[in-house]
Amino acid sequence: MPRWYVLAVIGTSVSLRVRLGAQNAHYGGDLIDGATILSLFGDAATQLLIALDGDEGLLRAYDSIEFVAPVFAGDFVEATAELLAIGNTSRRMRFEARKFIASARGRWPTEDSGPRSSTAADWLGQPITVAHATGTCVVPINLQRKPRALYMPGLPAGPAPAAGPIVTPTGEAAGATASRYPSDASDVILTAAIVGAEVSRTQTPHVPFTPSEVADEAARCREAGAAVIHLHVRRDDGTNTQSAERFAATIEALRRKCDCIVQVTTGGEVGMSVDERSGPLACRPEMATLNCGSINFGDHVFVNSRPDIRRLAAKMRAATVTPELECYEIGHIDEALSLFSEGLIAAPLHFQFVLGVKGGIPAREDVLLFMRSQLPAEASWGVAAMGRWQQPMTELAIRSGGHARVGLEDNIYLSKGVLSEGSSPLVARAAAYARSVGRPPADPALARRLLGLEPAPASRQG
């Protein structure tokens, strides 16, 4: 099976919706038994296997099963199967069942307001998760048929809808929706943050440390759809360093493997001096992050004083390095625009909204859209969201005309409790979603044009 296909289908999901009737009730009070929910998972898995392999396959085993809320006769349930990993014959999946309509028989009207209804039901604005599981299915090699086309994922689309029916807007309402989620946005630039400063191998064994490990993971991310590699480096023992020599060795190894834009960190690790943090600028990379203000970063303070920000901006300008303007708060946008008005940075400007850091601005739709509204019309922007916010904020950014950063630096899980085997599966999922909404991932050459960078250099050392 070609690797491009494996990467493209990670994150693919299918869903089915059913009403569970009285014939499904097994216990008192019209309670549905767990076996019924598992049968829905089996049907969803079968649907996914048919989409991927053209065969129903077999469900071999569940790794974990948890029932978290009751289901009653008359409830409507959506069962979802999502592909987590794919082997020669095995397909590992995550399953979730959510109740989106609840029977209200015997509970409405109230006793003092008239007779009880036998047909009442409630539409749940926020669906209730009733069960989740992980398991493995098998399709023998001789039964695998070449897929006719990639099956696009049905990934969660950000915040849950409000209570009430879903109505397609017309007229002025349609125009408002179109302006909120631009349909004419260009291809999306995906950045892979593959190392980070804080992720350890006790948290995940998949974080790369050595130059060769970083280069191999960068190549996998490029294949999955990334155009930019956001780069921290580590010593072989995993400790952080901003050493120009270590960055140079890593960048050299990376450029032998792929043509991605290299964007180095000047944030380094909390507690490093500005001079130490600026070490990788000696390598003259194409891009570097420029943090535009101080922030409570978890239990620490990430200090970026205004004089220090200007020192780093001047060093980037002297090294002809394009800054990505990291904004952890609303005021950081104003600070970045001040740098531009002072002539310390030049257009085109590219902003990164860092959302969900503990102590920073939260990862919410209203926050993202407000931050976007503060930018000059000609600026580009992207989102880097932490932990469980990475997927919904990435997808919101893509729908809203922005770009996105994913990877182990910000989030080590592909789904709840399931480690991502490197950053490339996270990139592949974001790329699949981008294609599904009509914004294919930009390759590095196109990303360079969109960001106003020079064509890929053979070398920028010196």
Side-chain angles (χ1 to χ4, degrees):
M1 183 174 295
R3 181 171 177 78
W4 67 265
Y5 177 70
V6 172
L7 289 172
V9 299
I10 295 294
T12 299
S13 67
V14 298
S15 298
L16 55 90
R17 288 186 166 192
V18 298
R19 179 185 183 274
L20 300 176
Q23 73 275 13
N24 302 116
H26 186 73
Y27 299 106
D30 284 340
L31 182 65
I32 304 297
D33 65 0
T36 300
I37 303 300
L38 294 181
S39 71
L40 296 180
F41 289 165
D43 289 344
T46 300
Q47 184 178 334
L48 184 52
L49 292 174
I50 292 170
L52 297 171
D53 295 298
D55 190 90
E56 293 189 3
L58 297 169
L59 179 59
R60 185 174 68 187
Y62 287 106
D63 305 319
S64 65
I65 302 170
E66 186 175 4
F67 299 100
V68 295
V71 180
F72 300 95
D75 290 348
F76 286 68
V77 172
E78 179 182 67
T80 300
E82 179 184 2
L83 185 67
L84 300 179
I86 185 168
N88 289 332
T89 61
S90 64
R91 285 88 176 91
R92 189 158 186 265
M93 301 180 189
R94 182 180 72 88
F95 302 97
E96 184 176 52
R98 300 194 305 165
K99 177 164 57 177
F100 62 97
I101 292 177
S103 170
R105 290 183 297 178
R107 299 195 299 274
W108 184 90
T110 58
E111 293 184 4
D112 58 355
S113 62
R116 291 175 179 263
S117 169
S118 61
T119 56
D122 295 322
W123 179 276
L124 304 177
Q126 179 65 51
I128 299 171
T129 297
V130 299
H132 48 77
T134 56
T136 301
C137 297
V138 174
V139 179
I141 290 177
N142 64 316
L143 298 181
Q144 295 174 19
R145 300 162 58 208
K146 183 179 179 180
R148 295 180 180 179
L150 295 183
Y151 193 87
M152 286 296 102
L155 301 178
I166 299 174
V167 179
T168 302
T170 58
E172 293 183 2
T177 301
S179 63
R180 186 182 185 193
Y181 298 128
S183 60
D184 59 348
S186 63
D187 294 1
V188 66
I189 300 171
L190 296 179
T191 297
I194 62 180
V195 181
E198 297 186 347
V199 179
S200 70
R201 285 194 173 157
T202 60
Q203 296 171 302
T204 173
H206 305 296
V207 60
F209 288 164
T210 69
S212 63
E213 290 171 348
V214 171
D216 287 344
E217 182 60 22
R220 288 189 286 268
C221 289
R222 166 67 171 93
E223 189 177 5
V228 181
I229 301 298
H230 172 67
L231 190 62
H232 288 251
V233 300
R234 308 284 188 93
R235 301 180 183 91
D236 287 351
D237 64 1
T239 55
N240 286 288
T241 178
Q242 290 291 98
S243 159
E245 292 75 18
R246 187 67 167 186
F247 268 92
T250 304
I251 292 171
E252 181 182 1
L254 190 155
R255 285 182 174 157
R256 286 197 298 264
K257 290 293 184 78
C258 71
D259 59 346
C260 284
I261 298 165
V262 176
Q263 179 199 87
V264 303
T265 178
T266 62
E269 184 179 28
V270 172
M272 288 181 173
S273 69
V274 169
D275 288 336
E276 186 178 6
R277 286 163 49 182
S278 65
L281 296 179
C283 301
R284 302 186 65 235
E286 294 175 85
M287 294 187 76
T289 55
L290 179 59
N291 298 283
C292 294
S294 299
I295 181 180
N296 287 329
F297 202 97
D299 295 333
H300 305 282
V301 178
F302 183 30
V303 177
N304 294 282
S305 68
R306 300 190 77 211
D308 285 345
I309 296 168
R310 283 154 179 74
R311 284 177 59 200
L312 281 170
K315 289 187 176 187
M316 291 182 193
R317 193 173 182 92
T320 64
V321 174
T322 297
E324 178 179 80
L325 304 166
E326 307 294 297
C327 299
Y328 300 79
E329 290 287 359
I330 294 294
H332 296 178
I333 296 175
D334 287 340
E335 183 68 355
L337 296 176
S338 294
L339 297 175
F340 177 67
S341 66
E342 294 168 24
L344 291 171
I345 57 176
L349 303 179
H350 180 64
F351 291 79
Q352 179 90 293
F353 305 151
V354 186
L355 308 179
V357 173
K358 291 183 178 179
I361 203 161
R364 294 201 314 261
E365 180 178 9
D366 61 323
V367 168
L368 184 153
L369 296 178
F370 180 74
M371 294 181 81
R372 187 189 69 174
S373 73
Q374 303 304 297
L375 303 183
E378 63 277 8
S380 60
W381 61 277
V383 165
M386 304 298 109
R388 65 190 179 96
W389 302 112
Q390 185 174 93
Q391 182 181 348
M393 290 295 105
T394 291
E395 294 176 7
L396 175 61
I398 291 171
R399 296 196 305 275
S400 304
H403 308 286
R405 180 177 108 178
V406 298
L408 295 187
E409 175 174 344
D410 304 325
N411 166 47
I412 63 175
Y413 292 104
L414 191 61
S415 62
K416 185 176 181 180
V418 179
L419 290 173
S420 179
E421 296 181 2
S423 295
S424 55
L426 299 168
V427 174
R429 180 169 63 186
Y433 181 81
R435 294 186 191 98
S436 76
V437 296
R439 295 192 63 199
D443 64 20
L446 176 57
R448 286 182 171 92
R449 294 197 297 273
L450 294 175
L451 293 169
L453 304 177
E454 295 295 324
S459 174
R460 282 172 56 90
Q461 300 290 333

